[in-house]
Amino acid sequence: MIRTPLTRRFDLAAPVVGAPMAGVAGGALARAVSLGGGLGMIGVGNAATTDFVAEQAAIPADDGLPFGIGLMAWALAERPELLDATIAARPALVSVSFGDPAPVVGPLHDAGIAVAAQVNTADDVRRAQAAGVDLLVAQGTEAGGHTGHRATLPLLQEVLALADRPVLAAGGIATGAGMAAALVAGAAGVWIGTPLLACPEGLNSPAARARVCAASGEDTVLTRAFDVAQGLAWPERWPGRAVANDFSREWHGREAELARDPDAARRVVEARRTGDLSAAPLYAGESVGLVTGERSATDVVRELTADAERALRTAADLLA
């Protein structure tokens, strides 16, 4: 069994955290990840309701499984009730990313809840550590969804050099060998999202899961087009990595024009309502080509961990 500061802190069998992907990572996915020995997370988007938080958290909690909840820092100023609902749900971990975590670390710690923050730059590391977070997640640009611009491996190495607390690696990790590489580099665990996008426990549609399985690693684009079209208040420094579609091919790089085109905006909003993947965003990372079929998140985590253990034993042989 792989033992790290992450597994010891949360009593896990695997140093794996399921990324809190809004619209995908609900309570059933979190439960399945935790059943596999990792820590499942529930993604809370800026439009989520407090009832959603309570209902989804109850799914892993009713089985006595550890789970976490992911919040977006930039959204909490307008939606403070999401923090209240999160604290009431009593997760083991809350991630507060994409903005300054400082205002919420105190209330979470007062409730006995550990806090993580995704970081994309050295300045993010300094700010998160000053805020008192317990875990840092070095999220590289290979990650799906909203992310920064630096590659995972160089970012991870810099974060480890700056950090005085456990660091998880995120972005592009989808195999046991990749997980082992992150652990050997010094990470306390991995934070995975894309490998879970084709799991039937997710909140995403069967059509979205099928599209993920059909995509290759060259099919993603890092773009603000979907956020601009929907008028979302995502800070510009965090574009989103998604599977390219007709809409992104037309509008990526033309965001200024897009902001003045209400018809294009309505196209994305309607596509999200109807599940039209030619215009709706389907966020996925560069490891999407390694996701080739639907299977339970429990099996994903168990296989990832077993393969990482084998890779670590093989790596040890290099010193013989």
Side-chain angles (χ1 to χ4, degrees):
M1 183 179 294
I2 302 170
R3 302 301 291 168
T4 74
L6 174 72
T7 62
R8 288 189 288 270
R9 174 74 183 259
F10 299 101
D11 192 24
L12 307 177
V16 177
V17 177
M21 302 173 286
V24 177
L29 187 62
R31 176 183 179 274
V33 169
S34 295
L35 281 172
L39 182 65
M41 299 280 285
I42 295 165
V44 178
N46 63 302
T49 66
T50 57
D51 285 345
F52 171 86
V53 176
E55 290 163 2
Q56 298 302 313
I59 297 173
D62 285 350
D63 285 338
L65 294 167
F67 69 96
I69 293 175
L71 302 173
M72 300 181 300
W74 63 265
L76 291 179
E78 297 295 326
R79 299 291 312 283
E81 69 273 17
L82 293 177
L83 177 63
D84 296 335
T86 294
I87 291 173
R90 307 298 300 171
L93 176 69
V94 169
S95 68
V96 184
S97 304
F98 307 114
D100 186 3
V104 301
V105 171
L108 288 166
H109 280 171
D110 289 345
I113 299 170
V115 184
Q118 291 186 138
V119 294
N120 308 102
T121 66
D123 283 344
D124 288 345
V125 176
R126 298 183 185 99
R127 179 172 61 179
Q129 292 196 139
V133 304
D134 303 285
L135 299 170
L136 298 170
V137 182
Q139 185 206 37
T141 192
E142 298 95 323
H146 291 84
T147 187
H149 298 270
R150 295 194 56 190
T152 300
L153 184 55
L155 176 65
L156 174 62
Q157 294 172 90
E158 187 167 354
V159 173
L160 287 165
L162 293 169
D164 58 6
R165 62 209 67 193
V167 176
L168 309 184
I173 299 167
T175 66
M179 175 173 160
L183 295 172
V184 170
V190 296
W191 180 279
I192 62 168
T194 299
L196 304 175
L197 286 176
C199 298
E201 299 92 349
L203 297 173
N204 51 347
S205 68
R209 296 195 291 272
R211 180 68 185 94
V212 165
C213 293
S216 73
E218 292 77 34
D219 286 345
T220 70
V221 60
L222 187 64
T223 183
R224 293 187 61 246
F226 297 113
D227 291 338
V228 171
Q230 297 172 87
L232 298 178
W234 269 98
E236 289 189 18
R237 60 168 291 204
W238 290 293
R241 184 172 298 284
V243 176
N245 61 13
D246 292 346
F247 186 86
S248 66
R249 282 186 281 268
E250 179 178 358
W251 289 104
H252 175 55
R254 300 171 57 206
E255 286 81 4
E257 295 176 62
L258 177 58
R260 301 189 297 270
D261 191 325
D263 290 336
R266 282 192 291 270
R267 180 180 167 197
V268 174
V269 172
E270 180 64 12
R272 291 200 65 178
R273 188 185 68 81
T274 62
D276 176 7
L277 295 177
S278 71
L282 176 56
Y283 291 113
E286 289 187 345
S287 65
V288 69
L290 293 164
V291 182
T292 57
E294 286 198 26
R295 56 187 181 134
S296 170
T298 300
D299 293 336
V300 170
V301 174
R302 287 175 176 166
E303 182 177 317
L304 192 70
T305 305
D307 288 350
E309 291 171 352
R310 283 190 287 271
L312 289 168
R313 286 193 290 269
T314 299
D317 292 341
L318 296 175
L319 296 174

